[in-house]
Amino acid sequence: MAAADPIHQFEIHNLFSLLKIGGTEIHFTNSAAFMFLAVGLSALLLLGATAGRRLVPTRMQSMAELSYELVADTIRSTAGEDGMRFFPFVFTLFMFILFSNVIGIVPYTFTVTSHIIITAALALLVFFTVIIYGIWHNGLRFFKLFVPSGIPALMVPVIVIIEVLSFLSRPISHSVRLFANMLAGHITLKLVASFVVMLGSLGFLGWLGALAPLALTIALTALELLVAFLQAYVFTILTCIYLSDALHPGH
Amino acid sequence: MVDDTRKKDDRTQPSTDEAALSARLRHLGERLEHNRLSTPPETPASRPNTNASALAQGLRLSTELVAGVVVGGLIGWFLDRTLGISPWGFIVFVLLGFVAGLLNLMRSAGFMAENDSKH
């Protein structure tokens, strides 16, 4: 039947076997292939764009400059000037997620960021960077993050528990937001698009009826492009806000 | 401002030699640096107004509350299992997680400054 399984697009296939560790075969999967593609394309764009380094930028160069300025401004406005030491990290995250998301919109591709294991790994990377750098940079003052000043002593234990819970919930909301948005968007797109084919098989009236889901599919594709960019941007903003806590906890 | 300078540079391009060009480049660099420094450095305290896109800010809200409850629930369940105090750990920590989620939600919605309580 034309109603294709909307989950099918998220399946992981083994492309070839890489090596064997203790009886477990490590495969090179389609997910890994698309991660390499995202890294390769972003590297190609940035290296190619900055090779000329003209005063009046070409189109490619101004795309690279725009992405630099977007990330740099985000870091400066959320984490302050000293947050710029994290620029390589934040920029890499932004470009990887943006390219993964945008590649995923192309039909027949695989969306790397629609798997929670990927987004959770990225979010945990940020989470542990904040903890390790925060303790290394601030020592025990880092834990002032959990003890707001100016509250009655009686309230401190409760507030500390709430603040710690709020801190621990960060990687979850950070990863689930990106993953859920990509997954839900792609399922919706697939479902609506399959209505076109189903209605189309009903003859002339079916073709007329299929115009509505077809228009919706086009609109949804545009929306998904927006969501792909926005989710990469939201992930970047949140990364900056969390890193800012590592730089200046407590203030 | 960057565009202005570039256009100006563009127009006078053919009439200059290498030395003048590099001098002008240096001048441009100085002016850009000056511009960047003269714009008031935004402090983390002014966060709610500095988020570039309101839509991006709106999208942040979707999972904050759920994440708090989930973390609270997991910790409560774990405490119940290890300490054998079922169901109190779960009840207390789901409620605390709900409060933490609400706190996150209000912070990201800008009702409270991101670091307000810590100044």
Side-chain angles (χ1 to χ4, degrees), chain A residues 154-173:
Chain A
L154 201 63
M155 291 291 286
V156 168
V158 181
I159 299 285
V160 167
I161 293 176
I162 291 175
E163 288 281 350
V164 169
L165 281 179
S166 140
F167 186 76
L168 289 180
S169 72
R170 280 172 174 187
I172 296 187
S173 63

Side-chain angles (χ1 to χ4, degrees), chain A residues 143-193:
Chain A
F143 294 101
K144 265 171 56 187
L145 190 65
F146 304 125
V147 192
S149 54
I151 52 164
L154 201 63
M155 291 291 286
V156 168
V158 181
I159 299 285
V160 167
I161 293 176
I162 291 175
E163 288 281 350
V164 169
L165 281 179
S166 140
F167 186 76
L168 289 180
S169 72
R170 280 172 174 187
I172 296 187
S173 63
H174 204 183
S175 56
V176 166
R177 181 179 304 110
L178 176 59
F179 140 80
N181 269 288
M182 299 318 290
L183 185 78
H186 281 264
I187 290 179
T188 317
L189 203 53
K190 185 88 172 193
L191 274 178
V192 174

Side-chain angles (χ1 to χ4, degrees), chain A residues 163 166 169 177 233 244 250, chain B residues 47 52 60 104 107 118-119:
Chain A
E163 288 281 350
S166 140
S169 72
R177 181 179 304 110
Y233 184 56
S244 144
Chain B
R47 263 178 210 155
R60 280 180 54 189
N104 276 347
R107 274 189 187 149
K118 289 159 204 157
H119 278 284

Side-chain angles (χ1 to χ4, degrees), chain B residues 13-25:
Chain B
Q13 194 90 24
S15 61
T16 50
D17 58 354
E18 274 305 302
L21 184 66
S22 67
R24 250 192 9 240
L25 257 177

Side-chain angles (χ1 to χ4, degrees), chain B residues 2-5 8-10 14 18-19 36 38-39 41 44 55-57 62 69 84-85 99 101 104 109 115 117 119:
Chain B
V2 183
D3 285 350
D4 277 356
T5 333
K8 232 177 281 165
D9 277 340
D10 233 12
E18 274 305 302
R36 203 166 64 70
S38 62
T39 48
L55 193 51
Q57 208 186 7
S62 52
V69 178
I85 49 170
V99 175
N104 276 347
N115 257 337
S117 48
H119 278 284

